[in-house]
Amino acid sequence: MRHLLDFQGWSRAQVESLLDTARVMREVLERPVKKVPALQGFTVATVFFEPSTRTRISFELAARRMSADVVSFAAATSSLQKGESYKDTLLTLEAMGVDAYVIRADAAGVPHQATRWVKGAIINGGDGRRAHPTQALLDAYTLLEALGGLEGKKVAIVGDILHSRVARSNAELLSLLGAEVVCAGPPSLLPQALPGARLTPSLEEALEEADAVMVLRLQKERMEAGLIHLEDYIARYQVTAKRLKRAKPQAPLLHPGPMNRDVELEGTLADSERSLVNRQVQNGVAVRMAVLYHLLVGREGA
Amino acid sequence: MILIKNVRLVDAAGERGPADVLIGEGRVLSLEGGKAQRVVDGTGCFLAPGFLDLHAHLREPGEEVKEDLASGLLAAVRGGYTDVVSMPNTKPPVDTPEAVRALREKAAALGLARLHPAAALTLGQEGRHLAPAGLLQEAGAVLLTDDGRTNEDASLLALGLVQAAPLGLPVAVHAEDASLRRGGVMNDGLLADRLGLPGNPPEAEAARIARDLEVLRYALRRSPARPHLHVQHLSTRRGLELIREAKRQGLPVTAEATPHHLTLTEEAWASLDPLFKVAPPLRSKEDQEALLEGLLDGTLDAIATDHAPHTQAEKEMDLLRAPFGIPSLEVAFPLLYTELHLKRGLPLPRLVELFTDGPRRVLGLTPLRLEVGAEASLVLLSPKERPVDPKAFASKARFSPWAGWVLGGWPVLTLVEGRVVYEALK
Ligand SMILES: [Zn+2]
């Protein structure tokens, strides 16, 4: 694979090989000296047209742990409207000798467009509501750690499915790995269909016998746009300890962060031992190391 | 005098020939040859009346970086158009008689395709006060429209129709319910959901057409003259059905479809390329099939380009920010000749009618026939195939969703009143 844009065209074996590499990287991160020379001489750019400090730091750390040089570019969307183009930005970075670009944008498709403009490897760091493949990979990795395997496991994804790139990428990836994915949310926040997932307006149905539960962040904009009423959402869709009883005992809880405590998730649950939120963050670095390694060094390997 | 020898003739009335067409004094002098200074071998080619485009964005005044009259009208004659209706959503919008005159004078001086400006229906296209329809018509405006904007105020549209009726001006509408459309950038449906892009539902078009047809009924009842509603760039099956039914009932409504809605579908969005971003959006295969039926059964009166040039940099923005629009004056006929006539069997005279008499009828102009005495505004078309090359466009917008498509039916000679305005003969 030359790029990581989404999981279209990826085989299960390719994903599993990537996750195997992540396991090796995870071990590196547990050593006293958390650094390997794997990407020495390579330059990775994080190009964030939409701000996201957490994701950017995770990628930059991943690159540095493998001894790559890192440059970062952050543009306010306002400067884009003024005509400073994505293409110019990327061509400038290419002229400086960048080998891989991690691109984040508020619009779907920007990483795809980038593959037409520059020669380096493109990693989708989240594009609009469309895809966030490294988030899905770190979620899958975390679930594999917790559950041992994904074949036949039921994963519930709860919240604003319509606007969520995390839901889209997880549905694509987890189903590729053999899991049954059920997405639940209020009817105004459900798409017509999502490849890889079953959709339901019933939180109860999604949680029933679930092996794991992934809770999505509820954006304030959805309330402002009149798509939901906050109290109504909390009353009917908040994941609470009581509701979680429908799921398998000890079914782990995931959340891509940052969390709105007591909105999409009961605050005490976020701190319970069922919560894998911190584990997700740790695994994020390892998974991103694996992605960079595969795209830059192991191009033919996967 | 020009003699086009051994050429087949095609107009709305049918195909005939071969003939030897003698042209002089701006007219067709003979179909049986004669002496001429210049002889063109028309073997294998066919001759049609010059095309009229009801819907081109030429961007002058105000956005000459995207297109201007010179580049736009040159693109037009290269596409076989001898007449072009320019949309008034320029900067500022064309809403004064002076602006209409200025455009006509400037275009006339260029000596390319003839320009027929459309003027704004409302002042500044702001949808609050009607523009001075009578003065605009006197200055040469042939159509009123707030295209680019949707007509939110139904009563103002009714008044506009009533006011334009005795002037013989059609009122053209961009039929989209803006509140249903919301921020939609592509057709609403499974693909939009999969891509996580905001959808523009086909129902937004149908809902607005349904409303506008009721507005038309109201205007008809209130007007001593007969108002004429023209629906622009129709894109949906349901919208088409509404117009078919209204026509059956005898309502004075006409409609156009664009080359892109006739040859592309929403599936093109899988490439995530803003090249395919247009308003109204590319729809489903089913909608496209309905449009083809509409071409055959007369529900659609005209093929109009909605030629909408932008800069390369703008079209390289992302899918949310890139502007809507495709440049198409130079490829419209070859595209539909190849895709609709050759591949789908749309009869050639009907296709030519959709580029000539169909749009002319919308404007109340007389039909064009290839006969002795007819105005010699003509286009010679060659069946020879070649690929679309946007780099060679005369339009300033040198991108195209059809780049690389191999098409026949290219204009090789365009005449306006007997004068050669474009020539690509070997
Ligand atoms: Zn329009």
Side-chain angles (χ1 to χ4, degrees), chain A residues 57-239:
Chain A
I57 289 175
S58 178
F59 270 109
E60 290 179 5
L61 216 48
R64 292 207 170 93
R65 295 275 188 251
M66 291 189 294
S67 308
D69 293 318
V70 177
V71 294
S72 71
F73 177 87
T77 47
S78 61
S79 70
L80 284 174
Q81 255 124 2
K82 277 189 213 117
E84 185 182 341
S85 78
Y86 297 101
K87 191 180 172 183
D88 290 344
T89 302
L90 290 165
L91 289 178
T92 304
L93 290 167
E94 181 172 55
M96 292 176 184
V98 167
D99 301 293
Y101 308 79
V102 180
I103 298 177
R104 166 86 152 218
D106 66 348
V110 174
H112 291 72
Q113 289 175 268
T115 62
R116 296 174 201 139
W117 300 327
V118 290
K119 287 181 205 76
I122 307 289
I123 297 156
N124 186 351
D127 65 328
R129 307 163 182 175
R130 207 190 68 88
H132 195 358
T134 58
Q135 176 72 42
L137 283 167
L138 74 87
D139 289 338
Y141 183 88
T142 307
L143 282 170
L144 283 170
E145 269 187 345
L147 304 175
L150 279 166
E151 192 62 49
K153 294 284 165 44
K154 177 180 177 184
V155 181
I157 304 181
V158 180
D160 178 0
I161 309 298
L162 181 65
H163 300 97
S164 174
R165 52 187 165 215
V166 176
R168 274 183 187 75
S169 282
N170 267 293
E172 211 178 359
L173 183 64
L174 295 178
S175 63
L176 182 65
L177 294 173
E180 176 201 358
V181 180
V182 183
C183 295
S188 60
L189 298 180
L190 283 179
Q192 249 181 290
L194 210 60
R198 189 155 59 78
L199 300 167
T200 172
S202 162
L203 175 61
E204 287 69 25
E205 189 191 324
L207 293 181
E208 199 67 49
E209 293 293 304
D211 294 283
V213 179
M214 189 178 294
V215 186
L216 302 175
R217 175 178 167 82
L218 188 71
Q219 307 276 350
K220 256 205 216 94
E221 302 151 57
R222 309 305 165 220
M223 290 157 243
E224 284 155 12
L227 289 172
I228 45 152
H229 185 282
L230 183 61
E231 274 98 81
D232 196 37
Y233 182 89
I234 290 172
R236 303 180 55 215
Y237 289 97
Q238 185 185 72
V239 174

Side-chain angles (χ1 to χ4, degrees), chain A residues 8 77 80-81 83-87 106-110 112-113 116-117 127 129-130 162 168 190-195 225 227, chain B residues 182 188-199 270-276 312-322:
Chain A
Q8 270 180 50
T77 47
L80 284 174
Q81 255 124 2
E84 185 182 341
S85 78
Y86 297 101
K87 191 180 172 183
D106 66 348
V110 174
H112 291 72
Q113 289 175 268
R116 296 174 201 139
W117 300 327
D127 65 328
R129 307 163 182 175
R130 207 190 68 88
L162 181 65
R168 274 183 187 75
L190 283 179
Q192 249 181 290
L194 210 60
L227 289 172
Chain B
R182 277 206 165 178
D188 186 62
L190 292 173
L191 186 61
D193 274 354
R194 184 156 71 75
L195 301 178
L197 284 164
S271 69
L272 293 164
D273 191 332
L275 212 52
F276 299 98
Q312 186 79 29
E314 283 174 309
K315 269 302 202 191
E316 281 170 355
M317 297 301 292
D318 60 73
L319 291 166
L320 298 180
R321 292 176 189 83

Side-chain angles (χ1 to χ4, degrees), chain B residues 55 57 87 89 146-149 173-175 232-233 256 279-280 306:
Chain B
H55 194 144
H57 296 274
M87 287 297 111
N89 64 334
D146 281 349
D147 177 48
R149 303 271 191 103
V173 290
H174 179 128
Q232 300 174 305
H233 40 50
E256 69 189 34
D306 194 4

